């Protein structure tokens, strides 16, 4: 039998070269989706194969890897991907945003500001921001080529006509470097401003859809909006019940079957770091040394 | 006090341990061997090899065992293994005209050189559950006759000789055959890539699309020109040696559909082709593939694209069951964050709706 | 296989050195004008600089057609080494190349002889790997654009001296265009198509 023997970080060198070339093009043309010959990975399509391939192509022995899903290091898929790289590449892993050199994420951007030495790798399910307006790749490719994004504005405007607001709360489209309209992956729109002029390199991998795209550091990323309906962030109007933060994105926790609920930071590292610094919320184990209100 | 849930790592480990336990089933029942799977569930192995895109019976059998008989999961296992294998090159095209035929039928001519050979087929079995099989025991030995001495002519070539069917496009040495596992697909896609996509495509998806074309969604008037099953030699051109080296023989099923004719002022009318090829004995797959190959030639043959089966972007983007199952099943992953975002927006919209409904009517109009 | 004895070696540890070289190129591309160092880990045939050789071993294979400038192909050394270590095909028409290796940039062909990509596929462009005299000394150039926090300065000695003026076509071609990697020994710096250049004080 052909007993499997795998390379450092799982991917073979030829595959890494192909992905690396795609990453370079993606950086050179910010926001443009570079087609790449995505491989079948040992985890299902839709479960982070694009992010995993990008991470595998950039990861070196000295890197420190953090993997989050929904902002948390301890969700099952984040654990699974972190273990995969610890096993196949033997790299150090961390849950600390500040200590990581490579952060792979699904659905969140860490609350702490990223610094220049870091790379943020996003897992992307549907890279095409125009996909739900126009399912055909041949058509959307033409629209990107011409910079013809009227359809997107029409969609957002129809939302306003129907609901009084832009009814897009996550995967909120952005314009990168004043040229390409880009899907930020299904991050909440709360996270959109963090992409703008970010010190870290942001790489996006869509495995099933075979696309890689990028935002270089210090690049303009503008959320699409209208003068009379400017973009605004959304978060629950509550402090975190654990650390008291009033500027972080919150998860809603249903605590019983009678409608009780509480809100805690979705970014677990951010929340734990704050608690370690002595910040307290209403549900903390320790006495409320501090309640922060904004 | 609230404490966030931890311990996902141990949960995963325990889940996989339980999975292995359930895979084994009742430990008093003898364990399946790979040989048993390969020999007695051979059509499942054939499907896993075909859609897994790797001709290796033993690995396919292992994958089926590991996947607890879930063939799409088994196909996924084989694909993920295949993706890591080094590439040495492409074999010479196999010649199905030289196939050592075990089954060969045509629905276009009553009698054909070489004859109709039923071979091992479910056709004409009465689908009655067989209680004897439940008890086990050796079946009757097969009837034997002389193996045909010469190769058996392909029915399609009989039509081809008279120009009644379009000729196969000749190979172009300057244009290597595409490989969608090595380069990202772009549209429009040529027939080499379409056929590769269809060969790897989910059998059920192609079956449904082929069926839809028979019912009028992209009608293509098919006749099963020939279906043949048997062994063909595989050869590899080794540059150092300078000639093609035989690698062994593989079992293939080939289906050539004879489909509606075309013609123009400049060209005499002739039938067109739809082609299907798969590893092992995969007849339903190759017939469906041949139907869909033909419907997808609509653009090339100047037919209007009206039905899903004619739409190459639709078909090729959704045919792969490893991609499809991954994306459908990814909905199991946590979506807390985007759901919260959506929930927040929905609550806000509902609140505004209620406020607007409760407001006096004239004011509401003034706000428009 | 007798060829290998005559040729400078490839990477001593191909996996690790390819990774570190790639990160240097990626950082260079992500932060235009910043000078990155490639860890020397491979031999280089004349007239190829170590940085160029490392980029070749990191990024080239049979899927990347190469164009070699007359200086790079003056002797068969570089072409032989590239074929042996990377299997990349060498093409005679620069427009068909994924990468162009320029050992002697002074007589650099007109940029429009290379591929700019298409509006639908701007990634189908040629990346120039251009060997220069220095990436630390020489006239100062101001760089602005994606990847740069405001403005950055690159001091380089480059022939042709009008390279940066010629690269101004990137502004009008975008999203098509030419990405350039400058190499001086083990040092590299990149000027992707998003970068706008101006002589300092000019």
């Amino acid at each position: 039998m052909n007993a499997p023997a795998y390379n450092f970080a799982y991917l073979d060198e030829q595959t890494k070269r192909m992905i690396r070339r795609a990453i370079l093009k993606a950086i050179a043309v910010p926001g443009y989706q570079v087609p790449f010959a995505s491989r079948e990975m040992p985890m299902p399509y839709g479960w982070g194969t694009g992010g995993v391939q990008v991470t595998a192509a950039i990861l070196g022995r000295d890197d420190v890897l953090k993997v989050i899903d929904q902002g948390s290091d301890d969700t099952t898929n984040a654990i699974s991907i972190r273990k995969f790289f610890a096993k196949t590449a033997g790299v150090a892993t961390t849950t600390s945003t500040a200590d990581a050199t490579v952060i792979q994420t699904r659905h969140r951007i860490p609350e702490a500001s990223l610094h220049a030495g870091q790379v943020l790798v996003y897992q992307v399910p549907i890279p095409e921001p125009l996909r739900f307006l126009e399912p055909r790749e041949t058509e959307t490719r033409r629209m990107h080529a011409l910079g013809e994004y009227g359809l997107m504005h029409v969609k957002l405007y129809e939302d306003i006509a129907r609901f009084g607001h832009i009814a897009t709360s996550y995967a909120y489209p952005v314009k990168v470097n004043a040229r390409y309209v880009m899907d930020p992956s299904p991050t909440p729109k709360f996270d959109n401003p963090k992409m703008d002029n970010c010190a870290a390199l942001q790489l996006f991998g869509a495995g099933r859809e075979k696309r890689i795209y990028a935002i270089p550091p210090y690049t303009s990323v503008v959320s699409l909006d209208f003068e009379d309906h400017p973009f605004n962030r959304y978060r629950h109007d509550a402090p975190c019940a654990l650390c008291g933060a009033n500027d972080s994105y919150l998860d809603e926790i249903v605590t019983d079957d009678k409608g009780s609920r509480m809100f805690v930071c979705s970014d677990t590292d951010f929340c734990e770091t704050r608690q370690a610094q002595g910040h307290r919320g209403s549900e903390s184990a320790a006495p409320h040394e501090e309640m922060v209100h904004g | 006090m609230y404490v966030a849930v931890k311990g996902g790592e141990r949960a995963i480990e325990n889940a996989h341990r339980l999975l292995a336990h359930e895979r084994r089933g009742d430990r008093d029942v003898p364990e399946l061997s790979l040989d048993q799977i390969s020999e007695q569930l051979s059509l499942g192995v054939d499907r896993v090899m075909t859609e897994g895109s790797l001709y290796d019976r033993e690995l396919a059998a292992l994958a089926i065992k590991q996947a607890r008989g879930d063939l799409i999961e088994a196909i996924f296992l084989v694909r993920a293994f295949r993706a890591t294998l080094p590439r040495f090159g492409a074999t010479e095209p196999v010649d199905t005209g030289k196939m050592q035929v075990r089954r060969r039928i045509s629905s276009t001519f009553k009698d054909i050189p070489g004859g109709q050979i039923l071979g091992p087929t479910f056709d004409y079995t009465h689908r009655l559950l067989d209680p004897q099989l439940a008890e086990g025991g050796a079946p009757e030995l097969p009837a034997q006759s002389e193996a045909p001495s010469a190769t058996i002519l392909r029915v399609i070539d009989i039509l081809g000789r008279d120009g009644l069917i379009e000729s196969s496009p000749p190979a172009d040495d300057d244009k290597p055959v595409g490989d969608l596992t090595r380069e990202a697909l772009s549209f429009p896609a040529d027939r080499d890539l379409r056929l590769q996509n269809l060969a790897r495509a989910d059998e059920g998806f192609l079956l449904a699309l082929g069926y839809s074309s028979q019912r009028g969604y992209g009608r293509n008037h098919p006749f099963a020109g020939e279906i043949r099953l048997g062994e063909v030699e595989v050869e590899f051109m080794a540059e150092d040696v300078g000639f093609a080296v035989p690698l062994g023989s593989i079992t293939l099923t080939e289906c050539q559909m004879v489909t509606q004719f075309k013609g123009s002022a400049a060209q005499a009318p002739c039938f067109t082709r739809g082609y299907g090829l798969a590893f092992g004995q995969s007849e339903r797959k190759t017939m469906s593939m041949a139907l869909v190959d033909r419907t997808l030639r609509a653009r090339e043959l100047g037919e209007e694209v009206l039905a899903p089966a004619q739409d190459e972007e639709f078909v090729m983007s959704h045919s792969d069951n490893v991609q499809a199952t991954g994306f459908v099943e990814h909905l199991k992953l946590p979506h807390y964050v985007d759901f919260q975002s959506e929930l927040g927006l929905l609550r806000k919209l509902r609140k505004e709706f209620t406020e607007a409904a409760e407001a006096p009517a004239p004011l509401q109009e003034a706000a428009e | 296989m007798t060829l290998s004895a005559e040729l400078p070696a490839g990477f001593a540890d191909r996996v690790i050195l390819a990774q570190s070289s790639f990160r240097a190129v990626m950082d260079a591309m992500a932060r235009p004008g910043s000078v990155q160092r490639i860890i020397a880990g491979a031999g280089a045939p004349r007239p190829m600089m170590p940085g160029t050789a490392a980029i070749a071993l990191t990024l080239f294979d049979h899927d990347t057609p190469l164009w070699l400038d007359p200086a790079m192909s003056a002797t068969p050394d570089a072409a032989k080494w590239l074929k042996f270590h990377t299997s990349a095909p060498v093409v005679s028409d620069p427009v068909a190349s994924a990468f162009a290796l320029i050992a002697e940039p002074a007589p650099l062909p007109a940029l429009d002889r290379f591929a700019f990509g298409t509006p639908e596929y701007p990634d189908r462009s040629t990346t120039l790997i251009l060997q220069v005299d220095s990436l630390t000394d020489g006239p100062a150039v101001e760089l602005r654009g994606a990847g740069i926090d405001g403005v950055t300065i690159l001091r380089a000695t480059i022939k042709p001296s009008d390279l940066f003026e010629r690269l101004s076509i990137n502004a009008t071609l975008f999203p098509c265009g030419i990405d350039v990697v400058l190499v001086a020994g083990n040092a590299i710096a990149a000027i992707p198509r998003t970068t706008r250049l101006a002589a300092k004080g000019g």
Side-chain angles (χ1 to χ4, degrees):
Chain A
M1 189 177 295
N2 292 305
Y6 299 113
N7 194 19
F8 174 81
Y10 180 76
L11 294 177
D12 58 282
E13 290 302 297
Q14 191 185 336
T15 299
K16 285 185 195 166
R17 273 194 300 276
M18 177 271 297
I19 296 171
R20 286 167 179 167
R21 292 194 296 262
I23 291 173
L24 295 180
K25 294 288 189 190
I27 294 169
V29 192
Y32 165 72
Q33 303 162 48
V34 182
F36 81 111
S38 172
R39 300 293 194 247
E40 257 120 4
M41 298 299 287
M43 60 272 293
Y45 283 118
W47 297 52
T49 55
V52 165
Q53 289 180 80
V54 169
T55 298
I58 67 173
L59 209 59
R61 290 238 161 109
D62 301 332
D63 274 310
V64 180
L65 177 70
K66 172 182 167 80
V67 183
I68 49 173
D69 189 338
Q70 314 299 302
S72 166
D73 302 273
D74 206 41
T75 38
T76 40
N77 205 43
I79 293 169
S80 167
I81 290 171
R82 188 166 59 239
K83 274 185 78 173
F84 176 72
F85 283 114
K87 189 168 154 190
T88 59
V91 293
T93 59
T94 183
T95 58
S96 159
T97 300
D99 295 345
T101 57
V102 176
I103 302 172
Q104 180 168 328
T105 182
R106 177 169 171 265
H107 293 193
R108 275 312 308 278
I109 299 173
E111 305 290 2
S113 295
L114 301 178
H115 56 80
Q118 295 179 309
V119 184
L120 183 60
V121 179
Y122 295 73
Q123 300 172 202
V124 182
I126 303 273
E128 178 50 70
L130 306 167
R131 179 64 70 234
F132 296 107
L133 310 173
E134 169 53 64
R136 272 171 208 285
E137 153 83 10
T138 34
E139 277 302 304
T140 53
R141 184 164 289 282
R142 191 186 57 79
M143 292 177 192
H144 284 297
L146 299 171
E148 190 187 285
Y149 296 121
L151 197 60
M152 180 64 89
H153 283 97
V154 168
K155 189 263 169 195
L156 297 177
Y157 208 83
E158 280 174 357
D159 278 2
I160 294 170
R162 186 177 312 161
F163 300 116
H165 299 278
I166 292 173
T168 300
S169 60
Y170 61 93
Y172 190 102
V174 294
K175 195 168 225 181
V176 178
N177 204 30
R179 176 57 178 81
Y180 282 99
V181 166
M182 190 198 91
D183 183 300
S185 86
T187 48
K189 67 177 185 172
F190 176 85
D191 284 340
N192 272 22
K194 298 176 191 165
M195 289 188 287
D196 181 42
N197 204 37
C198 175
L201 170 64
Q202 301 172 76
L203 300 176
F204 298 77
R208 193 178 38 78
E209 299 281 341
K210 300 179 168 53
R211 297 290 183 273
I212 287 173
Y213 51 103
I215 305 172
Y218 308 112
T219 298
S220 100
V221 178
V222 178
S223 302
L224 300 186
D225 63 358
F226 299 95
E227 260 177 37
D228 49 346
H229 284 272
F231 171 83
N232 61 346
R233 297 172 97 179
Y234 173 83
R235 73 183 285 278
H236 289 293
D237 186 18
C240 168
L242 294 179
C243 77
N246 58 5
D247 55 356
S248 63
Y249 191 76
L250 299 171
D251 273 340
E252 178 177 342
I253 312 288
V254 178
T255 50
D256 60 27
D257 56 2
K258 299 178 187 69
S260 306
R261 47 176 54 86
M262 58 187 268
F263 297 95
V264 299
C265 290
S266 124
D267 183 335
T268 48
D269 175 59
F270 176 79
C271 192
E272 284 161 16
T273 305
R274 277 179 55 84
Q275 291 178 67
Q277 289 164 352
H279 297 278
R280 294 288 178 264
S282 57
E283 297 291 323
S284 310
H288 297 187
E289 288 167 10
E290 183 182 4
M291 278 290 288
V292 183
H293 289 288
Chain B
M1 183 188 133
Y2 168 76
V3 180
V5 184
K6 294 265 179 188
E9 188 157 350
R10 220 182 69 207
I12 292 175
E13 275 164 20
N14 285 342
H16 293 169
R17 219 168 112 185
L18 182 58
L19 173 72
H21 172 74
E22 303 245 323
R23 175 193 299 129
R24 177 61 184 85
D26 184 342
R27 291 175 198 232
D28 292 334
V29 174
E31 186 171 348
L32 268 177
S33 73
L34 299 193
D35 283 346
Q36 286 172 335
I37 295 170
S38 178
E39 292 300 311
Q40 297 174 39
L41 299 175
S42 55
L43 300 190
V45 169
D46 290 344
R47 180 174 174 193
V48 170
M49 292 199 302
T50 296
E51 293 172 33
S53 218
L54 185 74
Y55 196 97
D56 188 320
R57 297 198 73 80
E58 195 181 10
L59 284 180
L62 172 63
I64 291 171
K65 180 173 178 177
Q66 189 176 332
R68 308 173 68 189
D70 178 338
L71 294 191
I72 292 181
E73 181 70 22
I75 289 160
F76 181 14
L77 288 168
V78 168
R79 289 265 194 98
F81 172 72
R82 178 193 195 273
T84 64
L85 298 176
R87 303 295 163 111
F88 300 114
T91 67
E92 295 297 293
V94 293
D95 185 354
T96 54
K98 291 192 181 142
M99 181 185 276
Q100 191 68 45
V101 166
R102 285 195 279 136
R103 167 168 165 78
R104 183 265 198 142
I105 54 163
S106 170
S107 65
T108 50
F109 294 105
K110 183 175 180 184
D111 210 356
I112 38 175
Q116 305 264 12
I117 304 169
L118 278 184
T121 180
F122 290 124
D123 297 350
Y124 317 112
T125 62
H126 297 140
R127 268 64 172 198
L128 303 171
L129 281 173
D130 180 0
Q132 277 186 339
L133 204 54
E135 285 159 25
E140 242 185 304
L141 287 172
Q144 306 233 341
S145 70
E146 295 270 313
S149 51
T151 53
I152 295 179
L153 189 67
R154 285 180 296 210
V155 173
I156 223 92
D157 296 337
I158 300 172
L159 292 169
R161 236 171 244 174
D162 300 333
L164 289 168
I165 192 162
E166 61 177 342
S167 50
S168 262
D172 182 352
D173 284 340
D174 293 334
K175 203 171 164 278
V177 176
D179 182 350
L180 51 80
T181 69
R182 310 312 278 181
E183 55 210 292
L185 196 54
S186 62
F187 297 105
D190 287 341
R191 196 172 173 204
D192 52 348
L193 289 172
R194 295 201 306 260
L195 284 169
Q196 185 189 14
N197 178 282
L198 297 179
R200 291 158 57 92
D202 182 74
E203 180 175 310
F205 180 75
L206 290 192
L207 177 67
L209 281 176
Y211 176 47
S212 74
S213 78
Q214 288 180 287
R215 289 193 65 258
Y217 289 83
R219 183 155 166 72
N220 62 22
H221 309 276
F223 297 94
E226 184 180 295
I227 296 158
R228 56 168 59 196
L229 158 74
E231 280 64 46
V232 295
E233 293 292 326
V234 180
E235 293 179 331
F236 184 74
M237 180 64 82
E239 265 189 45
D240 325 354
V241 195
F243 56 86
V245 182
L247 298 180
S249 83
I250 60 173
T251 304
L252 292 178
T253 305
E254 181 187 60
C255 172
Q256 300 235 36
M257 288 285 180
V258 178
T259 60
Q260 80 199 61
F261 47 81
K262 58 164 189 177
S264 65
Q267 197 191 1
C270 62
F271 286 118
T272 57
R273 292 170 187 251
Y275 189 75
L277 186 75
F279 290 150
Q281 184 169 9
S282 305
E283 228 160 274
R284 186 186 303 116
K285 168 67 181 257
T286 49
M287 293 182 78
S288 306
M289 176 176 171
L291 290 177
V292 179
D293 168 46
R294 177 59 186 83
T295 54
L296 288 182
R297 294 180 65 204
R299 179 169 47 83
E300 169 198 342
L301 295 172
E303 297 161 352
E304 206 179 347
V305 174
L306 296 167
Q310 295 170 308
D311 183 334
E312 64 176 23
E313 200 172 330
F314 176 80
V315 173
M316 294 176 75
S317 302
H318 303 110
S319 62
D320 190 301
N321 54 28
V322 178
Q323 290 176 8
T325 201
F327 201 47
V328 167
E329 294 193 27
H330 107 285
L331 293 171
K332 292 186 277 193
L333 289 180
H335 284 77
Y336 318 139
V337 162
D338 30 343
F339 185 71
Q340 271 313 309
S341 216
E342 203 76 338
L343 203 57
L345 176 67
L346 189 63
R347 282 178 179 145
K348 182 172 168 180
L349 294 177
R350 286 173 62 86
K351 187 165 163 254
E352 286 171 0
F353 179 87
T354 314
E355 283 166 5
E358 285 164 1
L363 228 156
Q364 190 188 357
E365 270 173 23
E368 290 287 316
Chain C
M1 292 293 161
T2 50
L3 206 53
S4 61
E6 302 156 16
L7 290 168
F11 282 139
D13 183 335
R14 63 189 189 102
V15 174
I16 297 309
L17 288 171
Q19 188 276 335
S20 71
S21 301
F22 168 70
R23 280 290 273 275
V25 179
M26 184 179 87
D27 288 343
M29 197 64 88
R31 296 165 202 283
S34 71
V35 178
Q36 311 285 334
R37 303 252 154 219
I38 284 184
I39 302 162
R46 289 172 59 80
M48 204 182 278
M49 293 175 174
T52 310
I55 291 170
L57 294 171
T58 302
L59 295 175
F60 300 175
D61 56 29
H62 52 72
D63 291 332
T64 55
L66 307 178
W67 183 80
L68 307 182
D69 79 339
M72 197 63 88
S73 49
T75 71
D77 294 1
K80 263 194 201 163
W81 183 88
L82 286 165
K83 180 164 174 51
F84 180 78
H85 287 296
T86 74
S87 312
V90 172
V91 295
S92 54
D93 187 354
V95 83
S97 65
F99 292 92
L101 297 185
I102 318 287
E104 180 54 60
L108 180 70
L111 291 182
D112 62 10
R113 293 197 49 210
F114 299 99
F116 292 147
T118 66
E120 281 79 16
Y121 293 96
D123 53 309
R124 295 179 181 173
S125 61
T126 307
T127 301
L128 301 189
I129 314 290
L130 209 126
Q131 299 189 163
V132 303
D133 295 335
S134 173
L135 287 173
T136 46
D137 301 309
V141 182
E142 287 186 351
L143 291 77
R144 287 184 169 78
I148 300 165
D149 188 9
V151 62
T152 191
I153 307 253
L154 175 67
R155 287 186 180 279
T157 309
I158 300 173
K159 286 168 259 161
S161 52
D162 66 342
L163 174 71
F164 291 159
E165 282 142 57
R166 291 213 233 164
L167 281 175
S168 66
I169 52 161
N170 274 333
T172 43
L173 287 172
F174 196 84
C176 299
I178 286 273
D179 309 315
V180 181
V181 180
L182 304 172
V183 181
N186 278 327
I188 60 165
I191 304 171
R193 67 192 78 180
T194 49
T195 305
R196 303 293 160 255
L197 304 130
K200 188 164 163 33

